[in-house]
Amino acid sequence: MAEPGAAVKPLTWVLDDKEPRSLGLSRGHVTDAEVVAATQQLETFLAGEQGRITFPATISVHVEGKGFGDKGGIALLQELKLLHEQRIISVNELFMFKLRLTDASCGALADLIVAHKGAIESVHLSHNQITSAGAKLLCERAATVYPIQNNAEGTLVTPLWLRMEHNKIDPATLTLAPELYTVKQHRLRKLKPPAPPLQLPHIGLGDPQASRSARASAA
């Protein structure tokens, strides 16, 4: 913690040297206004990394635990989408857990996921304030571009790994078609089609396979 009266260091971006590169913020708990301001400088920051990275750069975005809410989250998600459309970056993984995101952020997140057309392998949203309504919107939009093809022959596919535990999601009111998801808790990477678009572990949904079996028996 900074000493009373000490100047607060400006919030900047940090990019590591590993592949895929990890993009994060330089300080811990930050405000929405700080994230919005930093987001406005993200393209300039990445341009300054030219020579160190090749564009479009595959990145893993780490802003977990920073404490900001929807205003900062939406600004960041929209900027990531714009940078992807400009072929500056491609997001590989998105870590936005332990923030203050609500349903208001789910539309911008869904837009980012759909724009990437399956390039995003995992999204981590646990410990936020998303309800069943936001989760349903996000899942149904994401399911339009997953599972992704895992080999040239199209004989293996991978669902989106989507973590949303410890939100305000009531499994009883999160109504998703059983064919859209699996609840298996170990990461699935190479499945034979047909396979579900989404992998939703830990949020208390029932096994969709059981639902499909019950419906088949009733028919």
Side-chain angles (χ1 to χ4, degrees), residues 74-191:
I74 291 170
L76 175 57
L77 292 165
Q78 290 176 338
E79 182 66 13
L80 292 173
K81 178 175 177 287
L82 179 62
L83 294 173
H84 174 68
E85 292 170 343
Q86 295 174 343
R87 296 188 56 78
I88 295 174
I89 63 167
S90 178
V91 177
N92 172 257
E93 292 187 292
L94 187 59
F95 295 85
M96 297 186 76
F97 57 89
K98 292 186 179 179
L99 299 175
R100 294 184 293 107
L101 304 182
T102 73
D103 293 356
S105 293
C106 290
L109 177 53
D111 289 343
L112 177 68
I113 290 172
V114 171
H116 273 72
K117 299 179 180 178
I120 299 177
E121 296 180 2
S122 64
V123 177
H124 298 250
L125 297 171
S126 68
H127 300 84
N128 278 290
Q129 300 170 23
I130 298 167
T131 74
S132 297
K136 180 177 176 66
L137 181 150
L138 180 58
C139 288
E140 290 182 343
R141 291 278 310 282
T144 64
V145 290
Y146 290 87
I148 58 173
Q149 188 171 301
N150 208 297
N151 62 349
E153 296 77 21
T155 57
L156 296 173
V157 295
T158 301
L160 173 66
W161 175 259
L162 181 54
R163 295 279 299 271
M164 294 189 292
E165 68 270 23
H166 300 292
N167 275 274
K168 296 183 177 180
I169 298 169
D170 179 0
T173 61
L174 179 53
T175 54
L176 295 174
E179 60 271 17
L180 291 187
Y181 67 97
T182 176
V183 295
K184 293 185 182 299
Q185 297 185 10
H186 62 281
R187 188 87 171 263
L188 301 174
R189 295 184 182 274
K190 296 181 180 180
L191 302 179

Side-chain angles (χ1 to χ4, degrees), residues 59-73:
I59 63 169
S60 174
V61 179
H62 283 265
V63 291
E64 66 272 16
K66 299 297 184 181
F68 59 87
D70 290 319
K71 188 174 181 180

